[in-house]
Amino acid sequence: SLRLMQTDYVDILQLHDIEHVPLERVLNEGYAALVALKQEGKCRYIGMTGYPLATMRRVMSEVQLDVLLTYAHGTLLDDSITELQPLATDRGVGLINAASLALGMLSSTGSNVTFEHPASPAVRSAAAAMVAHAKAKGVDLAFIANQYSIQRSGCATTLVGIGKSRHLASALEAIDAPIDEEILAE
């Protein structure tokens, strides 16, 4: 992979979606492989990614990572990523927030994930109500969702999906544009 990318190393190497394999293997074999690659100079930082907060908490408690990414927990629908922040700070782990649109539920087009969305029916209903309210008010819910995730999640980084150049422009604007507190409250 490094040859294909024409580089000697990558900045961050992460085990992705670790909840889909036995966690003991991740914490033992997977972590050992990451450490070895870092020691070889193939990457500068190591991390893991996944959805379940309990899994992410356990990982941070049991192995020494540089970064940890979890998704759809630093959003307008769910700000539970804050539960991980004290442990991340204590362990020196850079916390990465991802999926500010809650895997598409906070966009006017809705979620297009090809797997069963992890959100509960109540959360899906709340998202649908938010989409309808934003449409009625003539505001871009995706922009507000990105603002909230970027500006208020408390994370070192928020990853946002960029499918088109206008999505990139909007995400960049969301970094500094003041949040409309009235719309946010609604």
Side-chain angles (χ1 to χ4, degrees):
S1 293
L2 292 175
R3 277 192 293 275
L4 287 173
M5 292 186 292
Q6 299 178 5
T7 187
D8 295 328
Y9 68 92
V10 293
D11 288 321
I12 301 173
L13 185 60
Q14 298 177 316
L15 298 180
H16 183 56
D17 282 348
I18 61 171
E19 68 268 23
H20 299 293
V21 295
L23 192 55
E24 294 308 317
R25 290 191 66 198
V26 170
L27 294 172
N28 295 307
E29 297 169 41
Y31 177 68
L34 286 176
V35 170
L37 290 166
K38 184 177 179 181
Q39 289 172 344
E40 292 172 25
K42 302 295 183 188
C43 60
R44 294 176 60 203
Y45 305 101
I46 59 173
M48 297 187 190
T49 80
Y51 179 76
L53 290 179
T55 300
M56 300 296 97
R57 189 177 299 106
R58 180 174 172 202
V59 165
M60 275 197 292
S61 298
E62 294 187 25
V63 297
Q64 186 55 56
L65 300 175
D66 299 307
V67 296
L68 184 128
L69 178 150
T70 190
Y71 57 93
H73 293 300
T75 73
L76 289 171
L77 290 166
D78 178 350
D79 67 356
S80 60
I81 200 164
T82 58
E83 297 171 21
L84 294 178
Q85 289 169 336
L87 180 59
T89 299
D90 289 347
R91 302 279 295 169
V93 176
L95 195 54
I96 300 173
N97 180 27
S100 56
L101 302 185
L103 301 172
M105 288 194 311
L106 296 175
S107 71
S108 59
T109 57
S111 180
N112 62 358
V113 296
T114 57
F115 53 87
E116 184 178 343
H117 200 291
S120 69
V123 170
R124 291 179 200 192
S125 177
M130 292 170 132
V131 169
H133 185 73
K135 184 176 180 179
K137 288 284 194 168
V139 297
D140 181 2
L141 181 59
F143 182 75
I144 296 166
N146 278 334
Q147 282 183 297
Y148 181 84
S149 290
I150 293 167
Q151 295 181 29
R152 304 255 172 104
S153 72
C155 293
T157 301
T158 295
L159 295 181
V160 294
I162 306 297
K164 298 180 173 139
S165 60
R166 65 184 166 87
H167 297 158
L168 175 59
S170 178
L172 291 172
E173 185 182 346
I175 294 169
D176 296 318
I179 296 175
D180 182 328
E181 297 295 334
E182 184 178 325
I183 291 290
L184 182 63
E186 290 173 5

